[in-house]
Amino acid sequence: MAVSATGFGFSDALDVLRRVFGYESFRGAQQEIIDHVTAGGDALVLMPTGGGKSLCYQVPALLRPGVGVVISPLIALMQDQVDALRAVGVRAGFLNSTQDPAQRREVESAFLAGKLDLLYLAPERLRVESTGILLDRGAISLFAIDEAHCVSQWGHDFRPDYLALSALHQRWPTVPRIALTATATKATHAEIAARLNLAGARHFVASFDRPNIQYRIVSKTEPKRRLLELLHTEHSGDAGIVYCLTRASVEKTTQFLIDNGIEALAYHAGLDTQTRAANQARFLREDGLVVVATIAFGMGIDKPDVRFVAHLDLPKSVEGYYQETGRAGRDGLPATAWLAYGLADVVQHRKLIDSSDGDDIHRRRLATHLDAMLALCETVECRRAQMLAYFGQQASPCGNCDTCLWPPQSWDGTIAAQKLLSTVFRLDRERRQRFGAGQVIDILLGKQTPKITQFGHQSLTVFGIGTELRESEWRGVVRQLLAQGLLTVEGDYGTLVLTESSSQVLSRQRRVLLRREPEQPARTVKAARTRSVAPVNLPTEAVPVFDQLRAWRAATAKDQGVPAYVVFHDATLRQIAAEAPASLAELATVSGIGENKLAKYGQQILAILTA
Ligand code: ADP
Ligand code: ZN
C-alpha cells in the first residue's frame, strides 16, 4: 500500500479514483493505461479533449513512490492545474519562468524532501542544467509529457524545447514516460513516437468521438446576426468561445456582442500580455463569459463547462477545427460546435497559402488540409463520421450533427457545373484579365453591371444561361465545386481556375452531385431540445437550489482565488441539486466529491440544502 504524507493510503487505482477524485469508475482505457504506467511501462496516449487524460498520469503518480514530473507548455495554466490538484488533497507544485527565485526554491525543497506528489515543469526549464541536477537528487515516479504534439514540427503548436525531451530516457532510463495528446492524425502520431523515442512504448488510441458535441456548419449569410441568434435562443448565459481568423475581426465581433448585451472578452496576439492573461483568467474564473479569439487561444484550457464553440471563419484544417471545437463540453454535457463559412473564406485561405513561407511541399500540404476542411463543410453525409474517418476511425451516422438532424437534399448539379465551368473556361481564354466568382455568377445570371459592360461580357455565349438558380445558389455551386476539386482559386482576387478534373465534367464523363442548402432548421425545435438556461436533466423544483449552489461556488472560488470549476464542476452541483443528499454519507456518493472536498465543503453544502 502506498501511503502519502497527505494521509491517503491507497490500495489500488480505483481506490485513488474514488477517494481522491470522487469518481465511481474509470472511463475507456484509463484503467489499462494507469495499470501499465504504474507497473513502470512507457505509454503514448491519444485521447480526445475531455477524454480524461490527466488521470492517466495523476493516478500512477500517486501510486508509485516518488514525484510525478509533468512537462507542460501551458505556463499560464499551471497555477490553475496545481490549485485543482490541491483542492482534492494532492500535493502539487510547479516550476516555470513566472516565479521569483524564492518561490522556486520553496518548490525545489518540497520536491527534494519528498513532499510533492506532482511537479509541473515548463519544457524550457529542462534546458537549464540546474534542473537536471535537481531532478537527479530527488525521486521521480514518472515523466508525463502533456500536449505531446508540441514536438511535431508541422503542427501549429510546435515548441522547440520539446525536441530536447527525447533525452529524458537517456538520463533517467528507469523512469516510465507517458506522452499524451489530443491530436489524432496518423502523421502526428508517428512523429511523436519517433521524436520522443517512444518506439518501445505501448500506444493507446482512444475513440476520438465526442458524442455530446453537436456539430453544425452553416453558410455565411449574416454570420454575426446568426451567431447572436444562436447565443440568444440556445446558449443564453453560457460560457463559450468564438473563433475569428484575424485580430481585426476579433475586435469587431467582441464589440458587436457587447453592443448586443453579451458579456464578451477579446483574446489575440496583438493585445498586451497583461490584458490577454486577465481576459483568460476571467473566462476561466467567472461563469457565463464569451471569449472572442484567434486560434492563439485555447490550448490546455480545461474549463469543463464551455457550452459552445463558434467559428466565424473557416479553420485551416480538420485537425485544427477538431481541436478548437473539442474545447466545448469537456464535462460530457450537451454542447454546440457551430461554424459559418462562405466563398470568401476559401479565397482568403488560398491567398494565405500562396503567400506563405516555405517550399512547394509545404504549400501543397496546407492546400490538402484546406481541401479536407472544405469537403467536411460541403458533405451531405454525417459530419462526425467524416471527421472520424479523417482520423482513421469508423463511425455510423451520429444523429447529433446538422446533416443527420436535418438531412440536406442532394441534386444532380452536372448541368449547372458545366455551365459554370464553361464560363470560367471562356474567361480564362481571354487571359489578359481574370475574374472571381462574383463576375462569373453575374455572367451566368445575365446581369448588366458596369463591369460586365466594361469587358463586353454580355456578348459571351454563356451570358444569361444560368437564370434557373439564384445568386446564393450559384455561390453554393462554386463552393462545392471547390470542395470537390473541380475548380480552384488563385491570386489576390480569388480568380476561378479550372483543374485537371474539370474537363471530366465538361466532357460529360463525370456526374456532379450537389447539396441543396437546407432551409434553416426550425428554431423552436432546437431551442426546446438544448436550451441551457434551465440546466439539463434538472427537475424544475431543483433549479433554485442549483442556482444557490452556483452562487455559493462563485463566492467560495473568489475567496480562494481559483476558478469556479476547481471548487466543483457544474455536473457535480447539478447532481447535488437533483438528489438533495441529506447526510455527508449520501453527499459522498455524488460524482466529483472525494474525501478532501467532502471534509472541506460537506457541511456548507448540507446547510444550503436544508436552508
Ligand atoms: P483531457 O485532459 O483529456 O482533455 P481531462 O483530464 O481534463 O481531459 O478530463 C476531462 C473531464 O472529465 C474532467 O472534468 C475530469 O475531471 C473528468 N473525468 C476524467 N475521468 C473521469 C472519470 N473516470 N469519471 C468521471 N469524470 C472523469
Ligand atoms: Zn451525424
Side-chain angles (χ1 to χ4, degrees):
M1 178 186 283
V3 180
S4 85
T6 25
F8 285 120
F10 301 119
S11 50
D12 57 19
L14 197 59
D15 193 36
V16 177
L17 182 77
R18 291 185 175 156
R19 291 172 51 203
V20 178
F21 297 96
Y23 297 137
E24 196 41 38
S25 53
F26 285 111
R27 279 187 192 158
Q30 276 178 333
Q31 170 108 53
E32 234 185 312
I33 298 164
I34 289 165
D35 289 347
H36 178 73
V37 175
T38 306
D42 289 341
L44 173 51
V45 175
L46 277 66
M47 207 185 258
T49 307
K53 285 185 286 300
S54 329
L55 291 180
C56 296
Y57 59 82
Q58 289 168 350
V59 175
L62 291 171
L63 287 168
R64 289 174 60 86
V67 184
V69 175
V70 186
I71 319 288
S72 164
L74 309 167
I75 293 175
L77 300 172
M78 279 186 185
Q79 183 69 57
D80 287 350
Q81 289 175 321
V82 163
D83 285 342
L85 283 165
R86 288 185 180 157
V88 294
V90 173
R91 301 166 310 166
F94 66 85
L95 287 174
N96 68 32
S97 52
T98 66
Q99 292 161 306
D100 61 39
Q103 289 171 318
R104 215 172 289 159
R105 264 197 307 278
E106 196 183 318
V107 177
E108 287 172 2
S109 44
F111 169 76
L112 291 173
K115 288 186 177 155
L116 286 183
D117 302 306
L118 281 157
L119 173 65
Y120 284 76
L121 209 59
E124 65 270 15
R125 285 278 101 205
L126 283 169
R127 249 196 340 231
V128 201
E129 178 50 21
S130 61
T131 308
I133 294 169
L134 174 79
L135 296 183
D136 273 337
R137 289 166 59 209
I140 307 170
S141 59
L142 57 84
F143 285 112
I145 303 167
D146 206 5
E147 312 288 350
H149 62 283
C150 289
V151 79
S152 157
Q153 269 166 315
W154 288 111
H156 53 267
D157 293 326
F158 175 60
R159 310 281 162 125
D161 287 320
Y162 262 61
L163 292 175
L165 298 181
S166 62
L168 291 178
H169 186 55
Q170 279 130 40
R171 185 152 180 177
W172 296 278
T174 58
V175 179
R177 293 167 304 153
I178 170 171
L180 312 103
T181 179
T183 300
T185 56
K186 285 213 171 67
T188 322
H189 183 173
E191 202 179 347
I192 294 171
R195 290 193 193 276
L196 291 179
N197 254 327
L198 282 168
R202 219 175 122 188
H203 294 201
F204 297 88
V205 182
S207 160
F208 268 74
D209 191 11
R210 298 286 310 281
N212 60 314
I213 300 181
Q214 183 177 100
Y215 294 95
R216 283 190 239 158
I217 302 181
V218 304
S219 72
K220 211 171 187 173
T221 33
E222 296 186 81
K224 287 213 200 75
R225 187 187 59 72
R226 291 180 77 175
L227 172 67
L228 195 63
E229 198 176 283
L230 176 80
L231 300 196
H232 281 151
T233 54
E234 296 176 55
H235 289 291
S236 97
D238 283 348
I241 307 174
V242 177
Y243 282 111
C244 302
L245 193 61
T246 65
R247 295 169 190 184
S249 55
V250 165
E251 294 289 350
K252 255 193 268 164
T253 307
T254 310
Q255 197 52 51
F256 170 81
L257 291 178
I258 292 172
D259 291 345
N260 284 282
I262 307 266
E263 257 196 282
L265 303 165
Y267 188 102
H268 58 72
L271 296 170
D272 61 86
T273 326
Q274 243 174 343
T275 312
R276 242 185 318 165
N279 287 356
Q280 173 169 304
R282 274 196 66 194
F283 178 68
L284 290 175
R285 276 166 175 68
E286 296 175 29
D287 282 327
L289 289 184
V290 174
V291 75
V292 184
T294 55
I295 56 166
F297 180 81
M299 185 172 51
I301 293 286
D302 48 11
K303 187 176 170 65
D305 55 356
V306 174
R307 294 268 67 87
F308 67 89
V309 170
H311 282 84
L312 281 175
D313 296 300
L314 187 71
K316 285 195 192 84
S317 66
V318 176
E319 211 168 338
Y321 173 67
Y322 187 79
Q323 293 294 323
E324 285 140 31
T325 54
R327 289 166 190 146
R330 290 168 86 114
D331 54 11
L333 298 174
T336 310
W338 181 92
L339 158 67
Y341 108 103
L343 205 47
D345 286 309
V346 187
V347 173
Q348 188 170 16
H349 274 287
R350 294 267 186 233
K351 216 157 76 180
L352 288 174
I353 292 174
D354 289 344
S355 62
S356 79
D357 301 333
D359 52 12
D360 272 356
I361 299 176
H362 179 56
R363 271 193 286 273
R364 260 205 303 275
R365 191 192 290 247
L366 295 177
T368 311
H369 284 166
L370 179 61
D371 290 343
M373 190 63 221
L374 284 180
L376 175 66
C377 290
E378 295 296 353
T379 187
V380 289
E381 316 279 328
C382 170
R383 308 256 191 222
R384 191 183 313 271
Q386 177 142 344
M387 261 188 289
L388 290 173
Y390 182 78
F391 298 126
Q393 300 185 343
Q394 296 292 322
S396 40
C398 72
N400 193 28
C401 71
D402 54 357
T403 50
C404 282
L405 289 167
W406 307 285
Q409 288 172 355
S410 52
W411 58 291
D412 187 335
T414 313
I415 292 177
Q418 284 168 348
K419 288 181 178 175
L420 195 131
L421 294 176
S422 40
T423 307
V424 173
F425 177 71
R426 297 270 142 67
L427 289 179
D428 194 33
R429 272 204 315 202
E430 295 188 9
R431 275 171 218 276
R432 286 159 296 141
Q433 191 81 34
R434 308 183 92 189
F435 299 91
Q439 184 78 350
V440 172
I441 293 170
D442 283 349
I443 294 171
L444 285 164
L445 293 173
K447 283 200 189 163
Q448 300 281 1
T449 69
K451 203 170 164 191
I452 292 281
T453 324
Q454 183 190 347
F455 294 99
H457 285 163
Q458 71 278 13
S459 58
L460 290 173
T461 50
V462 289
F463 188 74
I465 59 166
T467 49
E468 71 277 22
L469 296 182
R470 281 172 289 140
E471 176 171 346
S472 61
E473 291 169 323
W474 277 118
R475 291 195 156 261
V477 174
V478 175
R479 283 202 317 265
Q480 296 184 65
L481 294 181
L482 287 168
Q484 295 186 22
L486 295 170
L487 195 61
T488 186
V489 288
E490 275 180 14
D492 279 357
Y493 302 104
T495 306
L496 293 181
V497 182
L498 299 185
T499 68
E500 278 175 23
S501 321
S502 307
S503 58
Q504 296 169 4
V505 179
L506 287 168
S507 62
R508 301 198 171 85
Q509 285 166 332
R510 177 161 168 178
R511 225 179 121 214
V512 182
L513 271 189
L514 298 177
R515 79 181 253 154
R516 206 178 288 290
E517 295 304 321
E519 293 297 310
Q520 261 225 62
R523 242 171 272 152
T524 43
V525 179
K526 283 189 304 186
R529 211 175 46 74
T530 52
R531 188 171 179 84
S532 55
V533 183
V536 194
N537 297 334
L538 210 52
T540 10
E541 65 274 15
V543 173
V545 184
F546 177 71
D547 289 341
Q548 276 173 321
L549 290 168
R550 263 186 133 186
W552 166 82
R553 177 181 68 177
T556 309
K558 194 156 185 216
D559 228 33
Q560 300 177 11
V562 297
Y565 66 81
V566 166
V567 178
F568 281 123
H569 287 183
D570 272 5
T572 302
L573 294 190
R574 198 158 293 179
Q575 200 185 339
I576 297 173
E579 294 176 2
S583 64
L584 286 178
E586 279 177 41
L587 191 58
T589 65
V590 172
S591 180
I593 304 189
E595 289 179 1
N596 210 60
K597 287 189 177 174
L598 185 70
K600 206 159 154 192
Y601 304 127
Q603 293 299 353
Q604 296 179 45
I605 289 176
L606 292 179
I608 293 171
L609 293 175
T610 50

